[in-house]
Amino acid sequence: DVDFADGKTGWVVGRHGVILKTIDGGNVWVRQESNVETALFGVSFVDSDTGWAVGEINTILHTDNGGETWVKQDEENDRILNQVVFVDSNTGWAVGEYGTIIHTTDGGKQWSPQVNPKGTDILYGACFTDTNYGVAVGIGGYTIATEDGGATWTILDSAVDEALYGIHIVGQKAWTVGMKGLYATSQDAGRTWTDKTGSLHCFIWIYRIYFSNENNGWACGANGTILYTADGGNSWRLPEKLILK
């Protein structure tokens, strides 16, 4: 997963507890110490200091200093959390295995479950624009949305029928990615979608997508792939330089 606090400062998480941070828009990435060995699948920052990461065996990590230190907030169990999204320092959601949707209003100290209308069908990604509106995506291309902070969720038509892994919304524009280079866009904040598979020019699994504004975005996926767009997702390219430290 990838998330940016602004146009320059961002984080990527992955297998074996890997967390990488960039402060130059993604050209140079520096590893941070997560103190866990479990795979991490989701990361969310509300500013340059405050963030969360989630992953295997219900792992939930929190930092309040930009990732210099990470602290566990979870109790271990056998479910996988695939994505976490916070809209402020208190309000957040995580989604994952068994159709899991959990919600917090105290910065992750306590989490409560929400009802998924698709039952136990796995969710891979989610995005919220504020404390009320959010969209989540999952296996088989299924997409669900809420207008009331997750008190109720409804099923949408995603225009695709294979797994969707990541979604991001900026204003009325939205983007979602999935298996075999699956890619779709929306002009109404994810309520309806247009299939644009092939626009990424790759046919591997793309797990996550993030936009810092309506033009600048990043996508990451299998084999360490990181893609960048400066035109709202119409065209994508590899970063000019990628250095890992």
Side-chain angles (χ1 to χ4, degrees), residues 73-180:
Q73 289 187 318
D74 60 299
E75 295 182 4
E76 291 187 3
N77 65 41
D78 64 352
R79 73 181 173 195
I80 295 171
L81 296 176
N82 288 315
Q83 177 74 84
V84 61
V85 55
F86 274 75
V87 295
D88 56 44
S89 60
N90 292 311
T91 311
W93 294 259
V95 301
E97 203 171 24
Y98 313 124
T100 296
I101 307 172
I102 54 175
H103 175 50
T104 180
T105 57
D106 61 6
K109 296 181 179 67
Q110 296 182 339
W111 295 84
S112 57
Q114 295 183 335
V115 177
N116 183 342
K118 292 287 286 184
T120 59
D121 286 355
I122 188 169
L123 285 167
Y124 291 114
C127 185
F128 274 75
T129 59
D130 53 38
T131 57
N132 291 313
Y133 183 70
V135 181
V137 296
I139 194 168
Y142 91 82
T143 305
I144 57 175
T146 180
E147 304 270 1
D148 55 14
T152 58
W153 290 84
T154 58
I155 301 171
L156 304 177
D157 181 4
S158 68
V160 298
D161 59 6
E162 294 194 79
L164 292 170
Y165 297 128
I167 179 174
H168 197 77
I169 305 169
V170 177
Q172 290 299 303
K173 291 187 176 181
W175 305 261
T176 186
V177 291
M179 65 184 303
K180 301 177 185 177

